[in-house]
Amino acid sequence: HVQLVESGGGSVQAGGSLTLSCAVSGITFSSCIGWFRQAPGKEREGVAAIDSDGRTNYADSVKGRFTIPQVKDKNALVLQMNDLKSEDTAMYYCASAKVASYCHGGVSRIAELAYRGQGTQVTVS
């Protein structure tokens, strides 16, 4: 039984920072793991991802502000978010898959990953 559990969301003022965490269990190896978000009334949007070789991709809207740190625990994922803006307000979801191709060519397919968590809310005012 694959389970992804996000944590770290909350409310912050514009310009502030938050760190999201995702704990993955029930899967021995994620070839592609990342974050997508969805704001009310908007489409799901890939935010950031990392593949099994440690290569990262970011949406243009978050480049230079969001970072996936390299961690030794392959069943954990962190998203460091700095200089948050009101447009970053959304529910953030962690997602993973055994297929590496989802991580190739950017973050457009991150919302399609097979396994996902329940989400954590980020509100920027």
Side-chain angles (χ1 to χ4, degrees):
H1 175 66
V2 179
Q3 189 173 20
L4 289 78
V5 179
E6 303 95 338
S7 61
S11 297
V12 64
Q13 291 187 335
S17 299
L18 282 174
T19 299
L20 304 184
S21 297
C22 175
V24 183
S25 61
I27 184 171
T28 56
F29 186 74
S30 295
S31 295
C32 177
I33 187 167
W35 298 88
F36 68 93
R37 66 188 180 186
Q38 188 166 25
K42 294 189 176 182
E43 299 283 326
R44 290 179 297 183
E45 175 190 20
V47 175
I50 185 168
D51 67 13
S52 53
D53 292 324
R55 292 175 295 209
T56 54
N57 278 306
Y58 301 93
D60 289 342
S61 58
V62 306
K63 279 181 182 176
R65 301 188 298 120
F66 291 12
T67 303
I68 295 180
Q70 299 285 338
V71 294
K72 292 183 179 180
D73 184 357
K74 297 302 182 184
N75 286 326
L77 182 68
V78 174
L79 182 67
Q80 178 65 45
M81 305 187 295
N82 298 321
D83 189 23
L84 283 160
K85 303 177 180 182
S86 58
E87 52 262 43
D88 295 318
T89 295
M91 186 72 80
Y92 283 71
Y93 299 87
C94 174
S96 73
K98 298 179 181 179
V99 180
S101 60
Y102 284 100
C103 268
H104 299 165
V107 294
S108 62
R109 301 188 65 192
I110 299 306
E112 300 174 24
L113 295 182
Y115 308 110
R116 64 189 64 174
Q118 293 299 309
T120 185
Q121 177 68 37
V122 172
T123 302
V124 185
S125 59

